[in-house]
C-alpha cells in the first residue's frame, strides 16, 4: 500500500511539472495585485473612503485593498473611522517635520514609502494599483490587462502638468525627456514602485521648496501656490528612475465630461463639480461633512435615469449624464450600507431608497468590462486645450473654510426654528460646520432642555440691556457674534450668518457669490430707507457707504473681527435714538425701534466702508413670486404666507412647544396635485411655500424619531383626546395655536415628569368633560328628588340651605371655568 502511494505521488508530481496542471513555458507565475489609496483623519476623507470601498467590492476589483491613513497623534485620539477600510497607519507629514511647511498632499508618497518599508503585506505583492480617495471603481483594474509591463506603468493623462515641457523639468530631473504628464490612476509592477517611491517623496519636497518656480505659466497651477508639487514629484521621480508610462486617456473620466464613442471608462474621478439639470455636486461643498456618522442622511438625490432620457437627445451626452448619476448614486448606496453597518436604524421608505435597492440600479451599475476603444493608448498632445483648462481645476487648492452661525434664545419659539434650520443645513450640502449662538439668562438656562438641538455656543443674554434696562432681544445677534469671536477658536476663513427662521435649500459659498476680504455678500432689505435720509447722516460718518442689506451675510473673518463691535455699538446707538423711530425715517411700520439691529449692521459696515455685493438670488420669502431660472438657496419664513385656504405665520407659534411634545408639528399644506395648474407663476410660488413647510415638518418628524417617541398610532388612552384633536386640526389644515398657548402655560406649573402632556386646554373641547358633567347633573338630580320625597318640613329648610350652597358652588365653578378661559384669551395677546 505504501508503495502504491509513492507511485501516485510521483505521478502527480510529473503531471504538475509536465502536464496540463503545470505552468507552460514562457507563462508567468500567478500575479498578486494590491490596491492602495491615501487619506487623512478627516470627515472629508471618510465619506470618500466609504464610496471607494463600496465600489471596490461592487466592481469585483481583484486582490486586497489598503487605506494609507495619515494622522497626527491628536487627530488619532479623536478619530472614529478606523472601521471604514483595511488600514495601514502612517505618520502624518502634513506639517513637514523639518521645514514646518504645511502641505498635506505629501502624505501620499510618504505613505507609500512607509507601507513599502513596514508592511508585511508589501512583501507578497507583484502588481500595485494606486488610486485617489475621490474615485469610484466601475470595473476591475488589472494592470497586465491594461497593458502594464515591468518598467512601463499604465497611468491616466494629466495634461496640465506643463512643467514637463519647460524649465521646471530641466531643474528637477536629469531626464526631462522622460517626464510624463500623468497621475490619478497608476498601475505598475511592485519592483518599479520600490525604485520610484523614495524618489517620488524627495522630488515632491524639492519642487515644494522651489517657490521661485510656482507661477502658473511654469507649473500650470492656477493658484501659483505649489499645490501640485506632489504630482510633479511623481513625474520627475519616475523620469529619474527611467520609467516610461503607457498613457491612457480613456480608463478614467471626470463626471461631467463626455466619453468618446465606444469608450467605457472603468474609473470615476469626481474631483470637479458636476451637474444634471438643476442638480449639482461638488466634493468641496462637503469638506467637513460628517455624513458617514449621521444616520439616514445621504447626499442630495439626483434626477432619475428616466428623467435624463427625456432631458438629452444626443446618445453620447445622455450617456455622460447617466454616468454622473451613477457616480453619486454609488456614493449614496455606499453611505446607506455603511449606516447599516454602523448600527443605524432602518431608514424610512422613500422612492429614492427604493431605487437604490432596485434591480434597475443594480443592472445600471454592474461591473464594466474593458472595450478595445478603452484600451487604446494615445499621445496626450491630442487632447484639446479646452479640456486641459477644465482639468487644471482638479487638483485645486481647497476652497476656503466656511463656518455658519445663527442666533437664538432659550424659548420653544427658537427651538423649533433651530430644528428646521439644522435639518436643512445638512440637506443643503452647505460646507463647513454650523453653530447656534444661544443667548440665555442664568435662570432660563437652568430650565432649558434643548441643549442637544444643535452645536451650541452659549452667550450671556442682553435682551434686557445691562446698563440701560432696555428690553430689546434683537440685540443678542450682534452681541452673540462678538462673544463667539472673542471666545471660540475657528480656522474658518469666511463666516455665513443666518437667522433662525430660515430653511437652507442649497449651499451659500463665498466663491459662488463672489465674496472677498473687504467685500461681503448680503441680500437686499430695501425697506431700510434710513440709509438714504437723516438717520444715516446721524449715525455714520460715511452715509454714502450705507447698504440696505440683511438676512444672509457672507463675510471674511478678518472683516467680521473688525466689524462686530461696531455692529453692536451702532445697534445700541440707533436703539437709543427714540426721536427718530418714525416710519418715514426708519421704515419701521410699528415705530418701535424694532429694526435698530438691522440699522446697526448697515451703519457699522458703513463706518468701515465695507460695501456689499448684493444678491437677490440667495433668499426668497415663501409667498413671494420667484424670478424665472433662479435657484434660491434660502427660505426666510419671517412673514405669513398662504396656499389657498391654508396659511402659516411663525408668530402664531411663539409659545408652542412642538419640539418637546411627541409628534407635534405644523398643519399640513395642500397636496401639490390639488393646486391650480393654469397660472404657472402662482403655481411656482405655492410649490415653494409647500416645500418650506414640508421641510419644517420633516425636520420635526425626524427629531421626534430621534427622541424615540412612541408610535403615534399606539398612544395610551389617557392621551387619546389630544391625539384625536391634533389629527382633526391637521385634517382641516389649521391648528389654533392660541389654544396651545394656554396649555403650555398651565403645564409650566406641573411636574415635568408628565411624559405626554396634551396640546389643548381640554376642558370644553374634551368629550370626557361633558360625560362627567352629565353624570354629575344626574347625581344631583337624584339627590334632589330623594330629598323631596323623604324629608319633612325640617328637611325642607335644610334643602333650601343646601340649594343655596349648591347655587354658590355651581356659580363658583362656572367662574373658575370662565376665569381659565379669560386667562387663555389673555395668552393670545402677545402673539
Amino acid at each position: 500500500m505504501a508503495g502504491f502511494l509513492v507511485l501516485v505521488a510521483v505521478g502527480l508530481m510529473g503531471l504538475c511539472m509536465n502536464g496540463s496542471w503545470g505552468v507552460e513555458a514562457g507563462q508567468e507565475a500567478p500575479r498578486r495585485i494590491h490596491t492602495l489609496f491615501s487619506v487623512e483623519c478627516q470627515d472629508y476623507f471618510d465619506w470618500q473612503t466609504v464610496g471607494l470601498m463600496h465600489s471596490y467590492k461592487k466592481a469585483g476589483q481583484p486582490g486586497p485593498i489598503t487605506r494609507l491613513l495619515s494622522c497626527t497623534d491628536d487627530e488619532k485620539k479623536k478619530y472614529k473611522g478606523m472601521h471604514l477600510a483595511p488600514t495601514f497607519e502612517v505618520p502624518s507629514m502634513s506639517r513637514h517635520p523639518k521645514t514646518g511647511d504645511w502641505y498635506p498632499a505629501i502624505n501620499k508618497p510618504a505613505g507609500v514609502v512607509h507601507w513599502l518599508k513596514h508592511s508585511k503585506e508589501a512583501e507578497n505583492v507583484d502588481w500595485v494599483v494606486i488610486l485617489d480617495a475621490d474615485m469610484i471603481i466601475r470595473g476591475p483594474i488589472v494592470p497586465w490587462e491594461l497593458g502594464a509591463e515591468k518598467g512601463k506603468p499604465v497611468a491616466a493623462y494629466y495634461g496640465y502638468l506643463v512643467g514637463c515641457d519647460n524649465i521646471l523639468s530641466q531643474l528637477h530631473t536629469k531626464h526631462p525627456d522622460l517626464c510624463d504628464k500623468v497621475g490619478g490612476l497608476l498601475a505598475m509592477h511592485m519592483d518599479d514602485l520600490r525604485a520610484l517611491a523614495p524618489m517620488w517623496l524627495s522630488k515632491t519636497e524639492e519642487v515644494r521648496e522651489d517657490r521661485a518656480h510656482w507661477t502658473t505659466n511654469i507649473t500650470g497651477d492656477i493658484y501659483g501656490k505649489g499645490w501640485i508639487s506632489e504630482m510633479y514629484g511623481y513625474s520627475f521621480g519616475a523620469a529619474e528612475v527611467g520609467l516610461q508610462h503607457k498613457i491612457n486617456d480613456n480608463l478614467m473620466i471626470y463626471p461631467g465630461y463626455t466619453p468618446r464613442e465606444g469608450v467605457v471608462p472603468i474609473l470615476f474621478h469626481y474631483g470637479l463639480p458636476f451637474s444634471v439639470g438643476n442638480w449639482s455636486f461638488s466634493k468641496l461643498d462637503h469638506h467637513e461633512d460628517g455624513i458617514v456618522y449621521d444616520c439616514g442622511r445621504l447626499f442630495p438625490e439626483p434626477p432619475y435615469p428616466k428623467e435624463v432620457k427625456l432631458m438629452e437627445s444626443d446618445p453620447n451626452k445622455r450617456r455622460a449624464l447617466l454616468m454622473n448619476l451613477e457616480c453619486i448614486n454609488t456614493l449614496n448606496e455606499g453611505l446607506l450600507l455603511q449606516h447599516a453597518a454602523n448600527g443605524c436604524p432602518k431608514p424610512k421608505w422613500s422612492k429614492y431608497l427604493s431605487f437604490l435597492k432596485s434591480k434597475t440600479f443594480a443592472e445600471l451599475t454592474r461591473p464594466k468590462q474593458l472595450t478595445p476603444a478603452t484600451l487604446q493608448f494615445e499621445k496626450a498632445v491630442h487632447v484639446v486645450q479646452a479640456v486641459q483648462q477644465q482639468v487644471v481645476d482638479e487638483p485645486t487648492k481647497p476652497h476656503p473654510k466656511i463656518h455658519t452661525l445663527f442666533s437664538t434664545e432659550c424659548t420653544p419659539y427658537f427651538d423649533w426654528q433651530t430644528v428646521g434650520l439644522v435639518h436643512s443645513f445638512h440637506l443643503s450640502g452647505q460646507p463647513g460646520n454650523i453653530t447656534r449662538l444661544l443667548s440665555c439668562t442664568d435662570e432660563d438656562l437652568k430650565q432649558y432642555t434643548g441643549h442637544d438641538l444643535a452645536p451650541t455656543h452659549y452667550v450671556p443674554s442682553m435682551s434686557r440691556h445691562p446698563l440701560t434696562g432696555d428690553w430689546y432681544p434683537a440685540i443678542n445677534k450682534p452681541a452673540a457674534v462678538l462673544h463667539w469671536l472673542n471666545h471660540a477658536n475657528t480656522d474658518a476663513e469666511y463666516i455665513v450668518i443666518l437667522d433662525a427662521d430660515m430653511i437652507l435649500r442649497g449651499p451659500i459659498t463665498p466663491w459662488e457669490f463672489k465674496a472677498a476680504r473687504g467685500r461681503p455678500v448680503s441680500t437686499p432689505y430695501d425697506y431700510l430707507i434710513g440709509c438714504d435720509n437723516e438717520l444715516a447722516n446721524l449715525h455714520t460718518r460715511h452715509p454714502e457707504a450705507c447698504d440696505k442689506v440683511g438676512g444672509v451675510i457672507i463675510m471674511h473673518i478678518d472683516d467680521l473681527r473688525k466689524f462686530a463691535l461696531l455692529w453692536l455699538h451702532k445697534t445700541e446707538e440707533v436703539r437709543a435714538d427714540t426721536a427718530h423711530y418714525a416710519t418715514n425715517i426708519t421704515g419701521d411700520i410699528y415705530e418701535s425701534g424694532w429694526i435698530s439691529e438691522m440699522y446697526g449692521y448697515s451703519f457699522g459696515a458703513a463706518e468701515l466702508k465695507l460695501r456689499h455685493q448684493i444678491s437677490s438670488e440667495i433668499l426668497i420669502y415663501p409667498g413671494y413670486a420667484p424670478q424665472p431660472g433662479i435657484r434660491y438657496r434660502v427660505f426666510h419664513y419671517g412673514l405669513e404666507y398662504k396656499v389657498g385656504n391654508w396659511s402659516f405665520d411663525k408668530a402664531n407659534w411663539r409659545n408652542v412647544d412642538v419640539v418637546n411634545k411627541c409628534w407635534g408639528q405644523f398643519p399640513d399644506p395642500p397636496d401639490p396635485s390639488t393646486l391650480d395648474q393654469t397660472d404657472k407663476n402662482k403655481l411656482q410660488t405655492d410649490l415653494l411655500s409647500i416645500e418650506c413647510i414640508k421641510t419644517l415638518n420633516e425636520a420635526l418628524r425626524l427629531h421626534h424619531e430621534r427622541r424615540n417617541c412612541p408610535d403615534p398610532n399606539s398612544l395610551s388612552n389617557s392621551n387619546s383626546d389630544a391625539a384625536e384633536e391634533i389629527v382633526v386640526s391637521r385634517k382641516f389644515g389649521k391648528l389654533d395655536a392660541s389654544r396651545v398657548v394656554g396649555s403650555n402655560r398651565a403645564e409650566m406649573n406641573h411636574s415635568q415628569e408628565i411624559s405626554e402632556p396634551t396640546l389643548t386646554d381640554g376642558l370644553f373641547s374634551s368629550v370626557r368633560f361633558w360625560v362627567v358633567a352629565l353624570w354629575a347633573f344626574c347625581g344631583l338630580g337624584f339627590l334632589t328628588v330623594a330629598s323631596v320625597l323623604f324629608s319633612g318640613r325640617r328637611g325642607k329648610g335644610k334643602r333650601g340651605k343646601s340649594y343655596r350652597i349648591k347655587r354658590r358652588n355651581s356659580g363658583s365653578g362656572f367662574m373658575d371655568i370662565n376665569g381659565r378661559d379669560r386667562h387663555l384669551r389673555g395668552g393670545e395677546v402677545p402673539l
Side-chain angles (χ1 to χ4, degrees), residues 557-575:
I557 186 75
D558 292 346
D559 293 333
L560 189 60
R561 291 188 191 282
K562 297 173 187 175
F563 162 71
L565 185 59
L566 276 170
W567 184 5
L568 176 59
H569 285 172
K570 290 296 176 182
T571 298
E572 294 173 311
E573 191 178 300
V574 176
R575 180 70 181 168

Side-chain angles (χ1 to χ4, degrees), residues 525-530 548 586-588 595 598-599 621:
Y525 271 13
D526 293 332
Y527 54 83
L528 297 180
I529 58 175
K548 302 173 188 174
T586 64
D588 179 1
I595 59 176
M598 299 179 190
Y599 279 115
Y621 288 85

Side-chain angles (χ1 to χ4, degrees), residues 117-305:
K117 285 183 178 178
H118 300 284
S119 171
K120 294 291 184 184
E121 283 184 317
E123 298 173 3
N124 300 299
V125 177
D126 300 305
W127 293 87
V128 65
V129 174
I130 301 177
L131 304 176
D132 289 335
D134 57 343
M135 291 180 170
I136 295 293
I137 305 172
R138 304 182 74 219
I141 305 170
V142 182
W144 55 89
E145 290 182 1
L146 303 182
E149 304 174 53
K150 191 171 180 179
K152 294 182 179 180
V154 167
Y157 177 60
Y158 273 5
Y160 51 83
L161 297 179
V162 295
C164 276
D165 301 326
N166 61 36
I167 190 174
L168 198 66
S169 62
Q170 295 167 19
L171 288 169
H172 294 291
T173 174
K174 300 170 189 173
H175 308 288
D177 54 309
L178 295 181
C179 184
D180 290 325
K181 302 173 185 175
V182 294
L185 164 63
L186 304 170
M188 69 177 64
H189 195 277
M190 191 65 168
D191 292 347
D192 294 334
L193 184 62
R194 290 189 186 280
L196 165 68
M199 194 62 69
W200 182 4
L201 176 57
S202 66
K203 289 295 176 183
T204 298
E205 294 172 309
E206 193 178 299
V207 177
R208 182 68 184 167
E209 291 172 8
D210 184 9
R211 294 175 177 268
H213 295 92
W214 278 7
T215 55
T216 303
N217 64 318
I218 293 177
T219 63
D221 179 359
I222 59 174
Y223 294 101
K225 299 294 186 182
W227 195 252
I228 57 178
S229 299
E230 174 272 317
M231 300 178 184
Y232 279 114
Y234 177 86
S235 292
F236 295 159
E240 283 293 277
V241 297
L243 295 181
Q244 293 181 288
H245 293 82
K246 293 184 175 182
I247 303 174
N248 190 312
D249 198 35
N250 299 322
L251 297 170
M252 183 184 83
I253 192 168
Y254 292 83
Y257 284 21
T258 301
R260 296 183 183 88
E261 192 172 346
V263 169
V264 179
I266 58 172
L267 190 66
F268 288 139
H269 191 183
Y270 54 90
L272 298 173
F274 59 97
S275 61
V276 179
N278 291 326
W279 175 94
S280 64
F281 179 83
S282 173
K283 70 170 187 175
L284 295 178
D285 290 342
H286 301 275
H287 210 276
E288 299 178 30
D289 194 338
I291 193 169
V292 171
Y293 311 104
D294 195 351
C295 288
R297 185 163 67 87
L298 306 177
F299 293 119
E301 65 181 73
Y304 292 91

Side-chain angles (χ1 to χ4, degrees), residues 622-806:
Y624 281 33
Q627 292 298 312
I630 295 179
R631 187 165 66 95
Y632 296 98
R633 307 304 170 85
V634 176
F635 286 133
H636 191 183
Y637 54 90
L639 303 173
E640 181 182 21
Y641 59 98
K642 299 179 179 181
V643 180
N645 293 326
W646 176 94
S647 66
F648 180 81
D649 186 346
K650 70 169 188 175
N652 290 337
W653 300 84
R654 185 172 292 278
N655 296 303
V656 183
D657 193 356
V658 291
V659 169
N660 291 312
K661 291 180 172 58
C662 280
W663 309 116
Q665 65 180 76
F666 303 112
D668 286 329
D671 190 302
S673 63
T674 65
L675 300 178
D676 181 8
Q677 307 289 319
T678 56
D679 187 339
K680 296 301 180 184
N681 291 332
K682 182 67 167 64
L683 177 63
Q684 289 304 312
T685 302
D686 288 347
L687 288 174
L688 289 176
S689 298
I690 291 171
E691 179 188 336
C692 181
I693 195 66
K694 279 194 168 183
T695 304
L696 271 170
N697 275 341
E698 177 66 6
L700 287 167
R701 184 188 66 78
L702 293 172
H703 166 74
H704 294 313
E705 285 183 2
R706 286 192 294 270
R707 290 181 63 217
N708 295 317
C709 283
D711 187 333
N713 297 319
S714 60
L715 291 173
S716 63
N717 291 334
S718 63
N719 295 314
S720 59
D721 295 328
E724 179 181 353
E725 181 153 354
I726 294 171
V727 171
V728 170
S729 299
R730 289 185 61 206
K731 179 179 177 183
F732 287 98
K734 192 166 184 177
L735 180 61
D736 187 354
S738 64
R739 300 173 68 186
V740 189
V741 175
S743 176
N744 286 340
R745 292 185 177 177
E747 285 161 12
M748 288 175 66
N749 298 321
H750 292 287
S751 169
Q752 292 186 356
E753 295 177 4
I754 301 174
S755 60
E756 292 289 332
T758 62
L759 282 179
T760 60
D761 185 273
L763 208 52
F764 279 114
S765 60
S766 175
V767 174
R768 188 185 307 150
F769 170 79
W770 292 109
V771 172
V772 172
L774 182 62
W775 178 85
F777 179 79
C778 291
L780 289 172
F782 174 78
L783 291 174
T784 302
V785 172
S787 297
V788 171
L789 292 176
F790 298 107
S791 297
R793 184 182 303 269
R794 193 173 164 187
K796 290 179 183 179
K798 291 180 181 177
R799 182 190 64 188
K801 184 178 180 180
S802 173
Y803 181 73
R804 286 192 299 272
I805 293 172
K806 190 161 56 185

Side-chain angles (χ1 to χ4, degrees), residues 475-497:
I475 202 172
N476 284 312
K477 185 175 181 179
V481 170
L482 182 62
H483 191 277
W484 180 80
L485 287 169
N486 289 333
H487 294 86
N489 294 320
T490 181
D491 60 351
E493 192 173 339
Y494 282 89
I495 307 300
V496 175
I497 302 176

Side-chain angles (χ1 to χ4, degrees), residues 529-584:
I529 58 175
C531 275
D532 301 326
N533 60 37
E534 62 191 273
L535 198 66
N537 294 327
L538 286 168
H539 294 290
T540 173
R541 293 171 296 173
H542 307 290
E544 76 285 351
C546 184
D547 290 327
K548 302 173 188 174
V549 293
V552 175
I553 300 160
I554 311 171
M555 186 177 288
H556 194 280
I557 186 75
D558 292 346
D559 293 333
L560 189 60
R561 291 188 191 282
K562 297 173 187 175
F563 162 71
L565 185 59
L566 276 170
W567 184 5
L568 176 59
H569 285 172
K570 290 296 176 182
T571 298
E572 294 173 311
E573 191 178 300
V574 176
R575 180 70 181 168
D577 185 9
T578 56
H580 294 91
Y581 275 7
T583 302
N584 65 319

